[in-house]
Amino acid sequence: GENVEQHPSTLSVQEGDSAVIKCTYSDSASNYFPWYKQELGKRPQLIIDIRSNVGEKKDQRIAVTLNKTAKHFSLHITETQPEDSAVYFCAVSNSGYSTLTFGKGTMLLVSP
Amino acid sequence: DAGVIQSPRHEVTEMGQEVTLRCKPISGHNSLFWYRQTMMRGLELLIYFNNNVPIDDSGMPEDRFSAKMPNASFSTLKIQPSEPRDSAVYFCASSLSDQPQHFGDGTRLSIL
């Protein structure tokens, strides 16, 4: 089955800095790569996603890049704010939008 | 849009008791997913329904777990008998064929 590795497990930055979270996957047939943000005690919420036919996607302060050859993708958050503090999960699917395999998560802490 | 609705939000019960978790997907969505989240194992897919039919139940841990989707607007996840190691947050998510998954608020289950 699919194996998703996510790094780092924790990340501490100062407000205004950039944060980068990386994920690698094993199945070359994977074609859909979403990122979810989960605040403490809340549900995971989709923040950005990318399909395999696109190399990069941006939405205001967040962006995702995909390298299909190397089988890795990354989440980039610029100008971080304290409200960005949360656990971020990457996920991978090889069947469109259906079954997702999640990474173990990255706890991001943004200090004022 | 009411979102995915799960009940109960919290459940505390004794080992050996039957537990039933409930989920109402977003109206019009045709796929439904049950996940379990723990610190040790992260977010794990338990079972996935498409058009009310179970498609992939390979994540169901053992025969004590069962899930049903009698109609397009309701699903249950049942644990019988429950054990302390079943303690976790259980999330339900739904999606429309070519759209991302949306999660409910989860049920925090504690088995004493």
Side-chain angles (χ1 to χ4, degrees), chain A residues 32 36 38 41-44 46 49 51 89 97-100 102 104, chain B residues 33 35 37 40-41 43 45 48 91 97-101 103-105:
Chain A
Y32 174 60
Y36 284 82
Q38 187 177 26
K42 301 287 184 66
R43 68 183 188 271
L46 180 73
D49 57 4
R51 304 185 199 190
F89 293 93
Y97 292 85
S98 59
T99 55
L100 295 175
F102 282 85
K104 287 292 194 289
Chain B
F33 308 83
Y35 292 90
Q37 185 175 39
M40 291 298 295
R41 301 175 67 90
L43 263 168
L45 177 67
Y48 153 49
F91 286 102
S97 303
D98 60 348
Q99 299 298 318
Q101 294 182 27
F103 283 74
D105 287 332

Side-chain angles (χ1 to χ4, degrees), chain B residues 73-92:
Chain B
S73 59
F74 183 65
S75 177
T76 60
L77 178 67
K78 189 171 293 188
I79 309 172
Q80 167 64 19
S82 57
E83 296 182 4
R85 61 193 168 115
D86 301 330
S87 298
V89 180
Y90 290 80
F91 286 102
C92 176

Side-chain angles (χ1 to χ4, degrees), chain B residues 12-27:
Chain B
V12 181
T13 191
E14 293 188 345
M15 182 176 68
Q17 296 298 306
E18 178 179 289
V19 173
T20 299
L21 311 181
R22 297 173 175 81
C23 176
K24 177 179 170 58
I26 293 173
S27 178

Side-chain angles (χ1 to χ4, degrees), chain B residues 27-70:
Chain B
S27 178
H29 282 192
N30 60 353
S31 294
L32 184 140
F33 308 83
W34 282 101
Y35 292 90
R36 178 172 66 178
Q37 185 175 39
T38 61
M39 288 295 293
M40 291 298 295
R41 301 175 67 90
L43 263 168
E44 302 174 279
L45 177 67
L46 300 178
I47 188 168
Y48 153 49
F49 292 87
N50 185 252
N51 294 323
N52 313 338
V53 176
I55 303 299
D56 182 359
D57 65 354
S58 59
M60 295 287 264
E62 48 198 273
D63 291 346
R64 296 185 298 106
F65 285 68
S66 63
K68 294 182 179 180
M69 192 165 187

